[in-house]
Amino acid sequence: MLHTRRSILKAIGISALVTPMAGCMTQSGWFNPTTSVDAANLSPSAASIVAGDMVAKLSEHVGAGTGTIFLKADNSQFGLALESSLRGWGYAVAEADQQPSGDTIIPLAYTVGSDAGQIFVRLTTPTVELARTYQATATGASPTSPVSVLTRTA
């Protein structure tokens, strides 16, 4: 009986971990952003600091100014700061209501969340996903972790 109970709990635990990942797979691969969310409602200064840092890291992986970013923004402070930072790094930016044009289109979505003063940020493209945590400060935010990089290959 104890063995059966452990097996059931193990199966439930595995299901809890795997089920959310199943939603990531699409017919065209892993990336299919439909929206971006800044659930943390960052202040303008925190949004600017975090966006600037994340775009600098993104440019290391996709190349600075190498294409048009197709941004799925949510009109939050972070979304506005991200767009500004992308343009500052030389990227053209097309928003969800625009049809991007050009040779290199880079779809980009983001997720920003917070808990107990910690800010978690994730940028996702078809080829790379970057994540990092920050600490909210009186003047904005500062990184509290290294950048996590997930590289996808075809």
Side-chain angles (χ1 to χ4, degrees):
M1 173 118 154
L2 183 60
H3 178 66
T4 304
R5 182 182 232 173
R6 285 185 186 161
S7 295
I8 292 171
L9 289 175
K10 187 175 180 179
I12 290 171
I14 291 170
S15 294
L17 292 174
V18 174
T19 301
M21 293 172 57
C24 295
M25 189 59 140
T26 66
Q27 291 180 2
S28 62
W30 287 93
F31 181 77
N32 187 13
T34 57
T35 188
S36 293
V37 177
D38 175 6
N41 295 315
L42 299 179
S43 69
S45 61
S48 180
I49 290 167
V50 172
D53 182 55
M54 291 299 286
V55 171
K57 300 302 180 187
L58 178 69
S59 71
E60 293 173 10
H61 296 278
V62 299
T66 58
T68 299
I69 301 290
F70 184 47
L71 183 61
K72 304 280 188 164
D74 68 348
N75 296 318
S76 64
Q77 289 296 325
F78 181 78
L80 297 171
L82 183 64
E83 181 177 347
S84 176
S85 186
L86 288 164
R87 291 182 192 282
W89 276 84
Y91 296 101
V93 178
E95 295 184 21
D97 60 345
Q98 302 169 334
Q99 181 61 38
S101 61
D103 294 333
T104 305
I105 307 296
I106 306 168
L108 174 68
Y110 58 84
T111 304
V112 182
S114 66
D115 185 37
Q118 290 289 309
I119 303 164
F120 176 77
V121 180
R122 183 176 66 199
L123 297 183
T124 306
T125 75
T127 59
V128 68
E129 186 167 318
L130 306 174
R132 191 171 207 182
T133 59
Y134 298 82
Q135 176 70 44
T137 67
T139 58
S142 60
T144 57
S145 74
V147 177
S148 173
V149 179
L150 170 68
T151 304
R152 296 184 184 95
T153 57

